[in-house]
Amino acid sequence: MKKVRIALMGLGNVGKGVWMILNSNKKEIMKRSGYEVEVAKILVRDKNKPRDVEVPGEIITTNFNDILEDDSIKIVVEVMGGLEPAREYMLKCMDRKKHIVTANKMLLATGGDELFEKADSMGVMFNYEASVAGGIPIINGIDESLTANKIEELYGIVNGTTNYILTKMQLDGLNFDIALKQAQDKGYAEADPTSDIEGFDAQYKLAILSSLAFGTKINVNNVYREGITKIKSVDMKYAKKFNLVIKLLAIAKESDGELELKVHPTMIPKEHPLANVYDSFNAIFIKGNAVGDLMFYGRGAGSLPTGSAVVSDIIAILRSNVDIENDNPVVKNNLWHRKIKNIEESQSKFYIRATVLDQPGVLAEITTVLGRHNVSLRSVIQRGSKNSECEVMIVLVTHKTMEADINAAIKEITNLKCVDKIENIIRIEDFK
Amino acid sequence: MKKVRIALMGLGNVGKGVWMILNSNKKEIMKRSGYEVEVAKILVRDKNKPRDVEVPGEIITTNFNDILEDDSIKIVVEVMGGLEPAREYMLKCMDRKKHIVTANKMLLATGGDELFEKADSMGVMFNYEASVAGGIPIINGIDESLTANKIEELYGIVNGTTNYILTKMQLDGLNFDIALKQAQDKGYAEADPTSDIEGFDAQYKLAILSSLAFGTKINVNNVYREGITKIKSVDMKYAKKFNLVIKLLAIAKESDGELELKVHPTMIPKEHPLANVYDSFNAIFIKGNAVGDLMFYGRGAGSLPTGSAVVSDIIAILRSNVDIENDNPVVKNNLWHRKIKNIEESQSKFYIRATVLDQPGVLAEITTVLGRHNVSLRSVIQRGSKNSECEVMIVLVTHKTMEADINAAIKEITNLKCVDKIENIIRIEDFK
């Protein structure tokens, strides 16, 4: 049996998962890769930090050079996270002809180009399955299995924390704050939950997925982003009335070479496969022009699921060219030029919830404004509960409308005397 | 741009899909594979048969030797189906160092070993993503993406026809015959639907999937098989009462090196992701010891979805070794020895529906027999509708029980004077 020496940079949640899988599934990995994998070094910040995995002390190091300068180490696994020094370390390792596996979504979404180019120029492999949706093999799915397709649309539930919160709000009737607290107690949400609940995490992942799916460079700042903090229990209830459920979706659509890229809370039909993705599970739904509708569902985070993706990336390197010097068999995914649409050019149906004065003619005033901006209505619920003596809630659902039009209309409606407040606006996606 | 010449054997439903994708997605395929793919020959039985695709007459041939003897043809796509001459043609092509892509589940499930061995010995690639679940990349998923895992359980809805029929029975209340007729009118079921409704198609697919998932040789005859023809509307109604739905599942479980392999109608909890797979869609649900729960969902049949899988297999060959002679970089998946359990050793919960005499003491008699065979009951519904003056229907749901025990008990119960008929027995899977 051939042997290969690898190194881990990082021994946090994901690093521990990788270590455990390499040990517990050693036999399977040997059969499938043809190699016995030896972890030669693990880079950590603090040698003495107590850890709940047993790792031989002699392979733990705090010195990156122990990995960089050891030419017997062929593959380096970056699971330390963050931008620096992860970026610098990976670039240096590639310069030394080491293949790289990473789980670092933030770095890939913001500075991935440099890493891909370095890997290409050095002829090393650079695998990142674990960077999006944990154990779900969506990177490999797009990059290897859907190659026959023009991908037309991609919809992802790619953040487990927000999906857990929305599930609790939908099924258990919790309000946002309590659902968030539960997510924190369960360890799904961090003490500072901003990255999850404001959609940053999903934004990174959509940038990575859509770069790959549409073969283009995506600047993460071109991905429209809106979090779930504005979602109220009452919106959940209205959604249910319309046979819809609310999910935080990462959406990418291609038409005529132009891309729409957006992350926002979305009402979707309750029969859609994505609507039945509960708790902290992730799923990515894809429409390809050959394959039709396809969905991948699974654990989007966690030590072992994410470790599963990392270790499969290691095996992929072992199966191809770990021993081949100066040669990169991976075909470069030549880039297309794609214009990325401004959110204003995007089209959706909209759910609008407002508090208005309880007097005749209010709906007529609002619909007149909407009509002037080419917004037509599909349904109206006016018998909302009274907020106070003289105010009521109304809910409007529009037909498909340009964002620019809805924004202009809303601005005008907000200024109507009969309207107290636009409480919430949520996009509706019917996948048609 | 490099060019590669390929040949198709067969221009039926799948062959047409392959041809259309190669043409409509030509640019994408060039970017992703680095090759311009030229279809040099298409083997058909009848040159003059009218076809609804436009193919240049000069590439159509009825002579297999036009493909075999043309050394400029590097890849041969077998989409003719059936055992012979497909088997003979593929073996001969491999002998001439041609890489093979096939969609032939029957041949793979019954005589796959010979083909894999020939491919290994000749150093050619042999890809078969399209043989199971059409466009869903489940072969690549298991073979490339889940390599870090010990796969513990696999549950598949792998036959679209039966899933369509069961969906119509469940949601529209149709009986089996009418649902089957609808499936035939829609083109989902063949004039002779035996292979689908009796579970043969699913049996082939499970043999292929589990060979790969568990790294072993599976004789298709060792896969237990039961079709859906016995499912009645009344069973659908009782399932609903228990919050269950009925699906035809292909099930594989591994424990202590032993495999359970079975295809049968199964009652599953209505919240389970597989329960929400409707119409002719397929899905494969996998439990891996690292990745946890994972599901792939999509179109299991059809010209373009299956063509998508075939073309991605072609691209995989182009990306690796189409130009490399005498060398096979694919690591052989060394085989494990696995004992395949007899269905009698398998454990399930059971739903049992029976017609019994409307007299006191019947349930006591039945439960006494069950108890003697170690079968304990979870629930009983005795207020079933009367079939006649003196008979009623009862439904029993057991706790987890050995098949051998339930079979022995049922044999005895059938002989009880108070029991007219055991109407149906359906296994229940709660994924625990």
Side-chain angles (χ1 to χ4, degrees):
Chain A
M1 181 68 58
K2 288 180 285 187
K3 269 199 185 185
V4 65
R5 281 162 62 86
I6 75 169
L8 308 189
M9 302 197 295
L11 192 55
N13 196 30
V14 179
K16 271 184 262 179
V18 173
W19 172 263
M20 286 161 66
I21 294 167
L22 287 174
N23 284 286
S24 64
N25 293 355
K26 202 177 185 72
K27 270 192 211 166
E28 283 74 16
I29 293 166
M30 280 167 59
K31 291 230 176 203
R32 293 180 189 144
S33 70
Y35 282 86
E36 189 183 334
V37 177
E38 181 198 346
V39 178
K41 286 284 172 225
I42 302 180
L43 180 68
V44 299
R45 252 186 305 209
D46 177 1
K47 262 194 178 183
N48 301 314
K49 188 175 159 188
R51 298 172 208 278
D52 51 6
V53 278
E54 266 190 52
V55 177
E58 67 271 22
I59 68 172
I60 301 277
T61 178
T62 55
N63 182 0
F64 168 63
N65 286 326
D66 287 350
I67 293 171
L68 182 67
E69 287 164 10
D70 183 342
D71 285 333
S72 76
I73 292 173
K74 299 291 187 188
I75 301 172
V76 176
V77 176
E78 186 274 305
V79 284
M80 57 205 296
L83 298 183
E84 293 292 355
R87 177 188 146 278
E88 181 203 332
Y89 288 179
M90 285 197 270
L91 289 170
K92 283 186 169 167
C93 284
M94 290 196 259
D95 269 329
R96 295 288 284 250
K97 291 264 178 216
K98 298 183 196 300
H99 303 282
I100 301 286
V101 174
T102 181
N104 196 322
K105 59 180 170 275
M106 200 202 287
L107 182 50
L108 278 167
T110 57
D113 295 345
E114 184 185 20
L115 292 160
F116 286 109
E117 281 157 21
K118 174 65 81 179
D120 273 347
S121 74
M122 294 308 297
V124 295
M125 288 182 79
F126 179 60
N127 289 353
Y128 56 101
E129 180 64 73
S131 66
V132 180
I136 303 175
I138 186 62
I139 300 291
N140 197 44
I142 294 174
D143 204 29
E144 303 280 332
S145 303
L146 298 180
T147 47
N149 286 265
K150 206 180 280 184
I151 292 178
E152 296 167 338
E153 297 168 29
L154 181 154
Y155 305 87
I157 295 172
V158 290
N159 181 271
T161 309
T162 46
N163 203 49
Y164 179 85
I165 293 171
L166 292 172
T167 298
K168 289 289 148 190
M169 292 178 73
Q170 180 194 332
L171 300 184
D172 300 346
L174 303 187
N175 72 32
F176 176 80
D177 294 330
I178 294 177
L180 170 60
K181 179 73 174 44
Q182 279 199 4
Q184 285 170 325
D185 291 346
K186 282 223 164 199
Y188 292 145
E190 319 235 349
D192 175 0
T194 310
S195 170
D196 292 325
I197 64 177
E198 293 297 355
F200 290 102
D201 176 79
Q203 190 187 30
Y204 291 138
K205 290 168 178 169
L206 185 61
I208 297 171
L209 283 180
S210 46
S211 298
L212 191 63
F214 304 106
T216 190
K217 288 185 192 186
I218 308 262
N219 181 329
V220 71
N221 297 316
N222 288 334
V223 177
Y224 176 82
R225 178 192 50 77
E226 207 180 294
I228 64 164
T229 53
K230 287 189 313 177
I231 307 294
K232 301 272 185 276
S233 297
V234 63
D235 298 314
M236 286 281 169
K237 280 181 205 152
Y238 279 112
K240 197 173 174 187
K241 264 194 223 290
F242 295 115
N243 282 321
L244 301 168
V245 304
I246 305 178
K247 294 289 184 190
L248 181 68
L249 288 195
I251 301 176
K253 299 184 187 187
E254 196 269 342
S255 58
D256 304 325
E258 293 191 8
L259 288 182
E260 256 179 70
L261 302 170
K262 42 195 198 177
V263 170
H264 55 64
T266 316
M267 291 190 178
I268 62 176
K270 79 170 175 22
E271 307 77 29
H272 193 274
L274 284 171
N276 292 298
V277 175
Y278 293 118
D279 296 317
S280 64
F281 277 94
N282 283 18
I284 294 100
F285 186 91
I286 287 176
K287 279 183 201 254
N289 74 340
V291 78
D293 291 352
L294 193 70
M295 191 173 85
F296 296 73
Y297 164 100
R299 289 264 168 224
S303 184
L304 291 176
T306 311
S308 165
V310 169
V311 174
S312 77
D313 271 354
I314 296 172
I315 295 173
I317 295 173
L318 296 177
R319 283 179 162 186
S320 58
N321 70 345
V322 68
D323 283 336
I324 301 172
E325 296 274 334
N326 260 326
D327 182 28
N328 182 5
V330 178
V331 173
K332 283 188 212 178
N333 209 333
N334 297 302
L335 297 176
W336 303 86
H337 176 70
R338 306 279 193 192
K339 184 196 158 203
I340 296 172
K341 283 190 191 172
N342 189 287
I343 187 75
E344 292 267 306
E345 302 170 66
S346 175
Q347 291 197 3
S348 289
K349 296 175 182 176
F350 289 86
Y351 156 100
I352 302 160
R353 181 167 60 84
T355 311
V356 300
L357 298 187
D358 189 10
Q359 64 185 38
V362 172
L363 191 60
E365 281 197 63
I366 293 175
T367 53
T368 304
V369 176
L370 288 171
R372 209 160 50 234
H373 291 283
N374 310 309
V375 180
S376 70
L377 289 178
R378 201 176 66 172
S379 27
V380 177
I381 297 182
Q382 209 181 350
R383 58 182 145 66
S385 58
K386 288 203 179 198
N387 291 0
S388 69
E389 291 280 311
C390 52
E391 290 190 334
V392 289
M393 197 176 280
I394 64 166
V395 170
L396 311 172
V397 173
T398 75
H399 285 292
K400 207 166 227 185
T401 301
M402 287 278 283
E403 292 256 352
D405 288 333
I406 204 88
N407 290 345
I410 291 295
K411 202 170 163 188
E412 227 176 285
I413 289 169
T414 309
N415 291 328
L416 291 176
K417 276 191 192 148
C418 61
V419 172
D420 180 45
K421 195 179 168 199
I422 302 291
E423 304 281 353
N424 213 345
I425 301 175
I426 303 176
R427 293 167 191 83
I428 300 172
E429 176 64 58
D430 54 13
F431 302 95
K432 275 167 196 162
Chain B
M1 182 67 59
K2 290 179 283 187
K3 269 199 184 186
V4 64
R5 281 160 62 85
I6 74 168
L8 308 189
M9 302 197 296
L11 191 54
N13 196 31
V14 179
K16 271 185 266 181
V18 173
W19 172 263
M20 286 161 65
I21 294 167
L22 287 173
N23 284 286
S24 63
N25 293 356
K26 202 177 184 74
K27 270 193 211 164
E28 283 76 14
I29 293 167
M30 279 166 59
K31 292 231 177 203
R32 293 180 188 144
S33 71
Y35 281 86
E36 190 184 334
V37 178
E38 182 198 344
V39 178
K41 286 286 172 220
I42 302 181
L43 180 67
V44 300
R45 251 186 307 211
D46 177 1
K47 262 193 176 184
N48 300 314
K49 188 177 158 187
R51 298 171 208 279
D52 50 6
V53 279
E54 266 191 51
V55 177
E58 66 271 21
I59 67 173
I60 301 278
T61 179
T62 55
N63 183 359
F64 168 63
N65 286 326
D66 287 351
I67 292 171
L68 181 67
E69 286 164 11
D70 184 342
D71 285 334
S72 76
I73 292 174
K74 299 290 186 189
I75 301 173
V76 176
V77 176
E78 186 275 307
V79 284
M80 57 206 294
L83 298 183
E84 293 294 355
R87 176 187 148 278
E88 180 203 331
Y89 287 0
M90 285 197 270
L91 289 171
K92 282 185 169 166
C93 285
M94 290 196 257
D95 269 328
R96 297 286 287 249
K97 290 265 178 215
K98 297 181 196 302
H99 303 282
I100 301 285
V101 174
T102 182
N104 196 323
K105 59 181 170 273
M106 199 202 288
L107 182 50
L108 279 167
T110 56
D113 295 344
E114 185 186 19
L115 293 161
F116 286 110
E117 280 158 21
K118 174 66 81 179
D120 274 347
S121 74
M122 293 308 298
V124 295
M125 287 183 78
F126 180 59
N127 289 353
Y128 55 101
E129 180 63 74
S131 66
V132 180
I136 303 174
I138 185 62
I139 299 292
N140 197 44
I142 294 174
D143 204 29
E144 303 280 332
S145 304
L146 298 180
T147 46
N149 286 264
K150 207 180 279 183
I151 293 178
E152 295 166 338
E153 296 168 29
L154 181 155
Y155 305 86
I157 295 173
V158 291
N159 180 271
T161 309
T162 47
N163 203 48
Y164 180 85
I165 292 170
L166 292 172
T167 298
K168 289 289 148 189
M169 291 177 72
Q170 180 194 331
L171 300 184
D172 301 345
L174 303 188
N175 71 33
F176 176 80
D177 293 330
I178 294 177
L180 169 60
K181 179 72 175 43
Q182 279 199 4
Q184 285 170 324
D185 291 347
K186 283 225 166 196
Y188 292 145
E190 319 236 348
D192 175 359
T194 311
S195 169
D196 292 324
I197 63 177
E198 293 297 355
F200 290 101
D201 177 78
Q203 189 187 31
Y204 292 139
K205 290 168 178 167
L206 184 62
I208 296 170
L209 284 180
S210 46
S211 298
L212 191 63
F214 303 106
T216 189
K217 288 186 192 184
I218 308 257
N219 181 328
V220 70
N221 297 315
N222 288 334
V223 177
Y224 176 81
R225 177 192 52 75
E226 206 181 294
I228 64 164
T229 53
K230 287 189 314 178
I231 307 293
K232 301 271 184 275
S233 298
V234 62
D235 298 314
M236 286 282 168
K237 280 181 206 154
Y238 280 112
K240 197 174 174 185
K241 263 194 223 294
F242 295 116
N243 282 321
L244 301 168
V245 303
I246 305 178
K247 295 289 184 190
L248 181 68
L249 289 195
I251 301 175
K253 298 184 186 185
E254 197 271 329
S255 60
D256 304 325
E258 292 190 8
L259 289 182
E260 255 179 70
L261 301 171
K262 44 195 196 176
V263 170
H264 56 62
T266 316
M267 291 189 177
I268 62 176
K270 79 170 176 23
E271 307 78 28
H272 193 274
L274 284 171
N276 292 299
V277 176
Y278 294 117
D279 296 319
S280 65
F281 277 94
N282 283 17
I284 294 99
F285 186 90
I286 287 175
K287 280 183 200 254
N289 74 338
V291 78
D293 291 353
L294 192 71
M295 189 173 85
F296 295 73
Y297 164 101
R299 290 264 166 224
S303 185
L304 291 175
T306 311
S308 165
V310 168
V311 174
S312 77
D313 271 353
I314 295 172
I315 295 173
I317 294 173
L318 296 177
R319 283 179 162 186
S320 59
N321 70 345
V322 68
D323 283 334
I324 301 173
E325 296 274 333
N326 261 325
D327 181 29
N328 183 5
V330 178
V331 173
K332 283 187 210 177
N333 208 333
N334 297 303
L335 298 174
W336 303 87
H337 176 68
R338 306 279 194 191
K339 186 198 156 201
I340 296 173
K341 283 189 190 172
N342 189 287
I343 185 77
E344 293 267 306
E345 302 171 64
S346 174
Q347 290 198 3
S348 289
K349 296 177 181 175
F350 289 88
Y351 156 99
I352 302 161
R353 180 166 61 82
T355 310
V356 300
L357 298 186
D358 188 10
Q359 63 185 35
V362 171
L363 191 60
E365 281 196 63
I366 293 174
T367 52
T368 304
V369 175
L370 288 170
R372 211 162 46 235
H373 290 282
N374 310 309
V375 180
S376 70
L377 289 178
R378 201 175 67 173
S379 29
V380 177
I381 298 184
Q382 209 181 350
R383 57 182 146 66
S385 59
K386 289 201 181 200
N387 292 1
S388 70
E389 290 281 310
C390 50
E391 291 190 332
V392 290
M393 197 175 280
I394 65 167
V395 170
L396 310 172
V397 173
T398 75
H399 285 292
K400 208 166 226 185
T401 302
M402 288 277 284
E403 293 255 351
D405 288 333
I406 204 88
N407 289 345
I410 291 295
K411 202 170 161 190
E412 226 177 284
I413 289 169
T414 308
N415 290 327
L416 291 176
K417 276 191 193 146
C418 61
V419 173
D420 180 45
K421 197 179 166 196
I422 303 290
E423 304 280 354
N424 213 346
I425 301 175
I426 302 176
R427 293 167 190 83
I428 299 172
E429 178 62 59
D430 54 13
F431 303 95
K432 276 167 194 161

